[in-house]
Amino acid sequence: AQKITQTQPGMFVQEKEAVTLDCTYDTSDPSYGLFWYKQPSSGEMIFLIYQGSYDQQNATEGRYSLNFQKARKSANLVISASQLGDSAMYFCAMRELNTGTASKLTFGTGTRLQVTL
Amino acid sequence: EPEVTQTPSHQVTQMGQEVILRCVPISNHLYFYWYRQILGQKVEFLVSFYNNEISEKSEIFDDQFSVERPDGSNFTLKIRSTKLEDSAMYFCASSSGLVRDTQYFGPGTRLLVL
């Protein structure tokens, strides 16, 4: 069964600094996708970045990048130049791709990031 | 930019009552999902839906739950007889079904069962 672990319940970072949010995963499926979502206090789930298990390069989307270490089964999110608006809950999620195209996302417990002045 | 919409944003109901949560997925998406998030907890999968039938459901999705695509745009989740423990944020999501597939979430419906 697939599993996502986020060991940091909360993190603080100063504005303009970089921060890394940890995510480890476990799956027996060799083909999978890893996702990060942001959940602000308003509650919506905002897609940030995707990494496929066969991707050769780490994914980047603007200030977001994914430090993908396949052998360690980790997919850490790096946010560069933090802004006050980055304060939110961040969820790592995984989808196994060999179980079908409508396969579910499995989420971690999340990390609450607080950006300070 | 196309987005998933959900109505209502908030719903308060009495225990035992039926509720219907509505979603309009992104128009060219083929796969639809419901997830829920109990306050302060992680997001949990309920059900996936494709080609007018359920593809997968979790153990949470018991006989009290049903899903329907009544027309070409709406996707609904019905809870037949609500319980206190059904209080949660319910998210609808949709995806295109491509290999590098991303599920896009709606803003959620916050359900409170009294």
Side-chain angles (χ1 to χ4, degrees):
Chain A
Q2 54 185 326
K3 187 179 177 183
I4 293 284
T5 302
Q6 294 181 255
T7 57
Q8 306 154 313
M11 291 280 285
F12 286 89
V13 64
Q14 272 197 317
E15 199 181 16
K16 298 177 188 165
E17 298 294 309
V19 63
T20 298
L21 307 183
D22 294 342
C23 172
T24 58
Y25 60 91
D26 191 25
T27 178
S28 55
D29 191 337
S31 182
Y32 51 88
L34 295 156
F35 303 79
W36 278 90
Y37 287 85
K38 173 184 178 181
Q39 186 178 43
S41 56
S42 50
E44 70 267 35
M45 294 286 288
I46 302 166
F47 165 71
L48 296 178
I49 194 166
Y50 168 87
Q51 179 84 45
S53 58
Y54 293 116
D55 290 348
Q56 295 297 311
Q57 294 188 319
N58 287 341
T60 60
E61 286 286 348
R63 293 186 299 110
Y64 303 109
S65 60
L66 210 151
N67 183 0
F68 180 47
Q69 298 189 41
K70 195 170 181 177
R72 293 186 176 187
K73 293 191 174 181
S74 75
N76 299 337
L77 177 69
V78 181
I79 305 174
S80 62
S82 296
Q83 302 171 355
L84 294 177
D86 294 334
S87 295
M89 196 76 164
Y90 288 81
F91 290 97
C92 181
M94 179 172 67
R95 187 168 75 91
E96 292 175 334
L97 301 181
N98 282 334
T99 57
T101 47
S103 55
K104 64 182 183 231
L105 285 170
T106 296
F107 284 82
T109 51
T111 296
R112 185 169 299 281
L113 177 67
Q114 185 69 46
V115 180
T116 61
L117 291 170
Chain B
E1 186 172 321
E3 59 183 18
V4 178
T5 60
Q6 289 185 244
T7 54
S9 58
H10 294 78
Q11 172 109 36
V12 181
T13 190
Q14 295 290 325
M15 191 169 58
Q17 294 296 302
E18 175 184 285
V19 294
I20 297 176
L21 309 183
R22 291 182 167 80
C23 168
V24 179
I26 294 172
S27 61
N28 62 346
H29 283 184
L30 302 176
Y31 298 86
F32 315 118
Y33 310 81
W34 284 101
Y35 293 83
R36 80 171 185 190
Q37 184 182 31
I38 294 171
L39 189 63
Q41 297 187 22
K42 66 179 179 180
V43 179
E44 300 174 290
F45 168 77
L46 292 177
V47 66
S48 59
F49 191 86
Y50 170 69
N51 201 25
N52 282 319
E53 60 183 29
I54 290 173
S55 298
E56 185 182 1
K57 58 184 181 180
S58 71
E59 60 273 12
I60 302 168
F61 194 88
D62 61 23
D63 293 343
Q64 293 300 311
F65 291 89
S66 62
V67 288
E68 195 178 31
R69 189 151 161 84
D71 54 44
S73 58
N74 289 283
F75 179 51
T76 62
L77 174 69
K78 182 192 290 186
I79 309 174
R80 259 181 273 284
S81 177
T82 49
K83 302 176 235 183
L84 297 176
E85 54 264 37
D86 293 328
S87 295
M89 179 78 104
Y90 288 81
F91 290 105
C92 174
S94 71
S95 67
S96 61
L98 299 175
V99 173
R100 296 179 66 84
D101 196 22
T102 295
Q103 293 178 23
Y104 291 93
F105 283 69
T109 293
R110 193 173 293 281
L111 177 66
L112 178 61
V113 182
L114 301 176

